[in-house]
Amino acid sequence: MIQPVKPGQPYSRKRSVLLFAGLTGLLLTGSQCGSPAVKKAGIPDRIPAVITDSVYLDPGNIYSEEKRELGRYLFYDTRLSVNNTRSCASCHDPRFSFADNYNRSIGAYGDLHQRNSRPLINLIFNRYLTGADTTVHFPELQMIRPLMSEHPVEMGMKGNETAIVQRLQTDALYRNLFSKAYPAAAADVTVEHIRLAIADFIKTIISSDAAYDRYRYDSLRHPLSAAAMRGKQLFFSDKLACYQCHGGLNFDKPLLKTAAGKTDFYFNTGLYNIDGKGSYPATDHGLAASTGNPADEGKFRVPILRNLIFTAPYLHDGSAQTLEEVIRVYEEGGRNLTRGPNAGDGRKNPFKDPLIKGFVLTAGERKDLIHFLYSLTDSVVLNKKENANPFR
């Protein structure tokens, strides 16, 4: 038997490899861990060996500990925003599992983002990184949006690149960090170097120490509570079928396939139906905005279920304040809003996925399900010094 890791104790290299190599299968099948993967030279111990080497050895952004450390400083620095008011951590605060606690995030000029901030943990296991765009697969590409977006402005870097770069160039700390991270570039501070360094940092925010992880690792030494076990049975039951959309390591990988045989990550869950014809609020039409396909109206990326205790409010627009509220949406087969500008019966949305058909829970079963979801909580990753604000 593999020796268990005590709560809060960092995983050793061997433990990390074994855990990550088999955890995805364990979550759904209960199968035993597979053979440990072997890392290539140049990949640090903090990176689980099961992760494809090409992610970190990509010629476009070869990983280094020096670049990651630079990225950590940049991630927490408000000087990256046009008016020195916002940092990446403003919307991705470790206190909230690298998300925030707003319904919709706020940019440097006070503009509301389209969506609720998504947690940054375990990004490296995801192929689709945005709520409503199937073309963004890597953190390096994703970083362009918050830095350069104009509608809405988030960091406000576009058009202000020179001024922001100069702020960093005049700081001896950054001259030193950039010289270590990019020795061949003569410590050149560029927007490209900023973007790639932050990507290296966020790729290493890895969560694997939830109660459920420890339970799957060694159920005898780390049993779940009776309530969480009952909730687990509900979660994986055909009655609720939560696992159909929430599988894999992060509980965000669906089992469902498209007509082309590929995993489908984007679904309409019947949250809105403003005009009776399936319309969502004008602020966010979901996947349809990027594909131009009317049938994609209201489709959004299946969210990660890890650390939900820290990431309220919920849903793509933060319109649910509690997990009970979210669960009731699925119980009812969608959401019926009877008042306000977004009133409409989402249960009758013509684009709603057929899987969202409703079910019946008792009050006790609902609480048990929430207990299980809470077992996916890992506070260790939020308190690691290596992920913390270096300016404090």
Side-chain angles (χ1 to χ4, degrees), residues 146-307:
L147 292 177
M148 299 297 180
S149 174
E150 294 181 287
H151 305 289
V153 169
E154 295 183 50
M155 299 294 282
M157 184 175 282
K158 189 170 184 180
N160 301 288
E161 295 93 332
T162 300
I164 291 172
V165 165
Q166 286 177 346
R167 293 176 194 166
L168 304 183
Q169 285 176 327
T170 58
D171 189 327
L173 169 67
Y174 275 118
R175 290 198 299 272
N176 181 48
L177 289 170
F178 272 91
S179 67
K180 291 179 178 179
Y182 299 100
D188 193 15
V189 179
T190 68
V191 172
E192 179 78 350
H193 286 166
I194 291 170
R195 178 173 65 86
L196 298 181
I198 296 174
D200 265 13
F201 170 62
I202 62 177
K203 285 192 294 188
T204 63
I205 303 173
I206 296 173
S207 171
S208 63
D209 201 13
Y212 188 71
D213 296 328
R214 297 193 294 273
Y215 162 77
R216 296 306 299 177
Y217 193 47
D218 189 333
S219 60
L220 294 179
R221 298 196 184 193
H222 301 286
L224 294 180
S225 69
M229 285 298 292
R230 292 192 298 268
K232 172 179 173 287
Q233 294 301 317
L234 287 166
F235 186 92
F236 288 106
S237 70
D238 290 333
K239 173 185 174 181
L240 271 63
C242 306
Y243 69 93
Q244 291 277 10
C245 291
H246 294 282
L249 178 70
N250 286 330
F251 289 83
D252 66 349
K253 184 176 182 180
L255 299 180
L256 307 174
K257 304 291 183 180
T258 65
K262 297 182 179 180
T263 300
D264 193 356
F265 285 88
Y266 295 81
F267 298 90
N268 182 319
T269 57
L271 297 178
Y272 297 102
N273 188 14
I274 294 174
D275 59 357
K277 299 178 182 179
S279 289
Y280 267 50
T283 53
D284 198 349
H285 294 285
L287 190 60
S290 61
T291 66
N293 183 354
D296 289 335
E297 178 77 11
K299 287 186 176 181
F300 292 92
R301 171 75 161 90
V302 175
I304 183 174
L305 296 189
R306 285 181 174 269
N307 280 0

Side-chain angles (χ1 to χ4, degrees), residues 41-61:
I43 305 302
D45 285 349
R46 75 169 81 248
I47 307 304
V50 71
I51 298 176
T52 307
D53 290 327
S54 61
V55 173
Y56 290 92
L57 297 179
D58 183 344
N61 188 28

